Amino acid sequence: MSSPNVVEVSPIDSIYQLTPSVNEHWLLSKNGTAIDTLLVDFQDYNNPAMQKYAELTEPFQQALVVIEINKNLSDDWSFYGNGIEYIQALDNCNYNLISKVSADKKALILKITNVGKTNSFNPNPNDNLDNVIEVETVNPQLGLEVKFRYIAQFVDPTSATQKIIMSQDPGMIIRRPPNPM
């Protein structure tokens, strides 16, 4: 397995290729290199030149990740719906993630914005949902894991039947280091 790929905060990082399959793990790659996890790192508050403007500039920072269905596949594959199915997004009060599919349904754009300090919460907010709980923030350096599946439509070329297929969790971690104390 490859190590995580760091997505730099920029208007558009680059274009990733997604190779879906009906029966096997889907492959995400960049320039032919397989990627297991995308690590989206936002600007560090410890940068002395930007530190005094950090709170003002934070809302304007964003990462755009473009994922295209592998062009070497036939036209049998296209993204379905908004292109992703969320499974779990813990601590998502610290960021916004928006997905949009292109008109031809061959590309998916993921936009990550409004990333505050990426602290996790303890105890887990999913535990004991019937009660009010007090939480504390922990693990700012680990980032926030977003669990989702790509979702695509496959048209079987022999029978013309349409199938909706979901990938395994591709892995995405969103992170902004905390303010210096």
Side-chain angles (χ1 to χ4, degrees):
M1 295 207 149
S2 64
S3 61
N5 181 21
V6 176
V7 177
E8 298 293 331
V9 177
S10 63
I12 295 181
D13 170 58
S14 62
I15 298 173
Y16 296 84
Q17 299 295 314
L18 180 65
T19 304
S21 171
V22 173
N23 301 345
E24 298 179 21
H25 276 257
W26 294 18
L27 175 67
L28 183 65
S29 62
K30 179 180 174 184
N31 300 326
T33 302
I35 298 168
D36 297 315
T37 301
L38 294 173
L39 175 60
V40 183
D41 263 341
F42 280 80
Q43 183 173 343
D44 190 339
Y45 282 126
N46 294 325
N47 177 339
M50 289 298 293
Q51 189 172 2
K52 68 181 182 178
Y53 301 112
E55 289 185 34
L56 295 173
T57 59
E58 177 183 303
F60 297 100
Q61 291 179 329
Q62 66 180 15
L64 292 177
V65 179
V66 178
I67 299 167
E68 293 181 331
I69 290 180
N70 188 329
K71 293 176 182 171
N72 294 327
L73 298 176
S74 63
D75 286 334
D76 302 331
W77 286 96
S78 59
F79 282 106
Y80 180 83
N82 70 359
I84 60 175
E85 176 71 19
Y86 291 102
I87 306 303
Q88 184 178 31
L90 287 177
D91 311 316
N92 61 352
C93 67
N94 296 308
Y95 64 88
N96 293 319
L97 188 138
I98 301 166
S99 64
K100 180 132 178 90
V101 172
S102 63
D104 68 357
K105 299 188 182 288
K106 299 295 184 184
L108 168 67
I109 294 90
L110 299 174
K111 179 180 177 182
I112 302 118
T113 61
N114 198 30
V115 177
K117 292 184 290 183
T118 51
N119 292 308
S120 296
F121 296 114
N122 186 30
N124 183 332
N126 284 340
D127 296 342
N128 216 355
L129 293 175
D130 292 331
N131 294 319
V132 173
I133 61 172
E134 179 179 342
V135 296
E136 62 182 2
T137 57
V138 294
N139 301 324
Q141 296 300 323
L142 296 180
L144 305 174
E145 189 173 10
V146 183
K147 294 182 182 287
F148 65 94
R149 294 174 181 267
Y150 297 113
I151 182 169
Q153 180 173 286
F154 174 71
V155 179
D156 189 317
T158 56
S159 66
T161 58
Q162 297 178 359
K163 299 177 181 179
I164 299 171
I165 311 290
M166 290 187 182
S167 73
Q168 73 281 0
D169 177 13
M172 177 180 282
I173 297 172
I174 300 171
R175 183 174 66 183
R176 179 188 298 279
N179 278 321
M181 295 293 181

